[in-house]
Amino acid sequence: MPTLTVSSALMKARFSSFSVTLDSVVPAPGSGLRIGAGLPMPVGGAQLAGQSQAVSPVGLNRPGIGAIGAATPPPAPTGTPMQCPPALFKAASNHKLDCEFQQSMHDELNKFFEAICAGFSFGMSHWKLSASFTGVTIMGPMAMGGKIEAPWIDSQVIQGTNVAFGGPMTEWAKALVEGAARGFANKWKELGDNTRVPGLPWYPAFACFPGPMAPPMPNVPCPLMALAPRLDLVGAGALKDEMMRKAPNGTLYAEKVFTAVSDALSTGLMQFISTQMITLAMGRGSVPSFAPPYVPVGPVVGGDILPGCRVFTT
């Protein structure tokens, strides 16, 4: 059974191509700035997004500093920045705090990319179990019109992502999850609402049926792609724009993150649409011309598909 497979490796490679350099979290001596204030990630692994922690700048409030003839302040602690790539961000400097900040940001975004891929797959598995056709008309062997009826899946995407993340999530990561999940759900729902059955010979037996009423019969299996869905609705650009609209305002690096997410998601959706089969769409309808013994057979006219048929379960 086809599943939606989205590559986290593709997301990471795409984001790394932007070569994002983080802002420094090291305040100037004597500035009184709060290290980590307003930044999305922990400082030194000690705090979550949206929180801040008062940290004295290096050398501040030490005896003798600033006095005439005072001893030279000790050098700032240094670290070794992660190589980018594979790191998703570049450190602002080799200061220990900037290196720790780079590690924190890398770890959080790396976990987000892995988790959102699992969330997309989890949401799509629910969609497959609930999606059906409504409004389809059957005339003889041909089925036409209608749309795909299915519930919104943003809550399932968020749920699957939270489980896959496997731990506390910063406010920054939560904002990214919200934008990605709701943006994808909106565009996928729009695709279903605009997908019609374009006159396909799903029910050959209904061309000449020997009875007054044709009982429910399954359709001839066909790929979802045969319905000519509007692929532009789930193109990378459309997905990214919708994710940006659904993410909280001011989410840091949102455009670059959603560019990476939408590129990988769109690729996965194209593969899914190409391989997913439509089966067990149980068609039925009356045969008004049936009048034995003079007219022992006739075509189905004005038929429909049984409500609630789960047509994407194979």
Side-chain angles (χ1 to χ4, degrees):
M1 182 170 67
T3 58
L4 174 61
T5 302
V6 185
S7 171
S8 62
L10 183 57
M11 291 182 188
K12 296 171 189 177
R14 184 70 175 93
F15 185 84
S16 294
S17 69
F18 294 118
S19 299
V20 177
T21 300
L22 296 167
D23 292 334
S24 177
V25 297
V26 182
S31 67
L33 295 178
R34 295 157 63 88
I35 294 179
L39 293 169
M41 290 296 300
V43 173
Q47 64 193 50
L48 296 178
Q51 299 176 335
S52 60
Q53 175 181 346
V55 179
S56 296
V58 176
L60 193 62
N61 299 328
R62 292 181 62 86
I65 293 179
I68 296 176
T72 303
T78 60
T80 303
M82 299 173 64
Q83 183 72 25
C84 181
L88 297 173
F89 296 94
K90 293 181 178 179
S93 72
N94 67 343
H95 191 286
K96 183 175 183 292
L97 291 178
D98 282 338
C99 293
E100 290 177 351
F101 186 50
Q102 180 200 28
Q103 181 72 60
S104 298
M105 287 291 284
H106 167 82
D107 290 346
E108 191 79 353
L109 188 58
N110 187 68
K111 289 174 67 177
F112 164 77
F113 282 145
E114 297 283 353
I116 198 65
C117 291
F120 288 146
S121 296
F122 185 72
M124 188 61 78
S125 68
H126 278 258
W127 181 86
K128 285 164 62 72
L129 294 175
S130 58
S132 59
F133 282 107
T134 183
V136 175
T137 300
I138 300 173
M139 301 295 288
M142 309 300 289
M144 60 198 75
K147 67 174 186 176
I148 299 173
E149 182 70 27
W152 300 91
I153 59 172
D154 50 340
S155 60
Q156 283 77 26
V157 174
I158 293 173
Q159 178 185 353
T161 302
N162 290 340
V163 171
F165 200 86
M169 191 181 298
T170 68
E171 293 302 318
W172 178 60
K174 290 177 182 177
L176 294 176
V177 170
E178 180 181 341
R182 302 197 190 286
F184 165 54
N186 281 10
K187 299 310 290 184
W188 189 249
K189 186 70 165 61
E190 187 177 354
L191 181 139
D193 289 343
N194 286 276
T195 298
R196 310 281 184 261
V197 182
L200 298 176
W202 276 2
Y203 306 100
F206 290 177
C208 196
F209 192 81
M213 179 70 68
M217 293 186 181
N219 69 300
V220 174
C222 77
L224 176 57
M225 186 65 81
L227 274 58
R230 286 187 53 189
L231 299 181
D232 62 296
L233 294 174
V234 290
L239 288 169
K240 186 200 80 169
D241 291 344
E242 191 67 16
M243 290 176 185
M244 290 292 294
R245 281 191 287 269
K246 294 302 177 182
N249 291 333
T251 302
L252 290 181
Y253 310 115
E255 184 172 5
K256 292 179 174 63
V257 171
F258 291 147
T259 296
V261 170
S262 61
D263 281 0
L265 176 58
S266 180
T267 299
L269 288 173
M270 297 306 168
Q271 182 180 11
F272 174 82
I273 292 171
S274 299
T275 57
Q276 177 61 55
M277 298 297 292
I278 301 170
T279 61
L280 301 178
M282 305 301 289
R284 62 182 179 178
S286 63
V287 184
S289 62
F290 179 73
Y294 303 106
V295 186
V297 296
V300 169
V301 176
D304 63 0
I305 295 176
L306 282 174
C309 292
R310 306 300 183 234
V311 299
F312 298 107
T313 55
T314 57

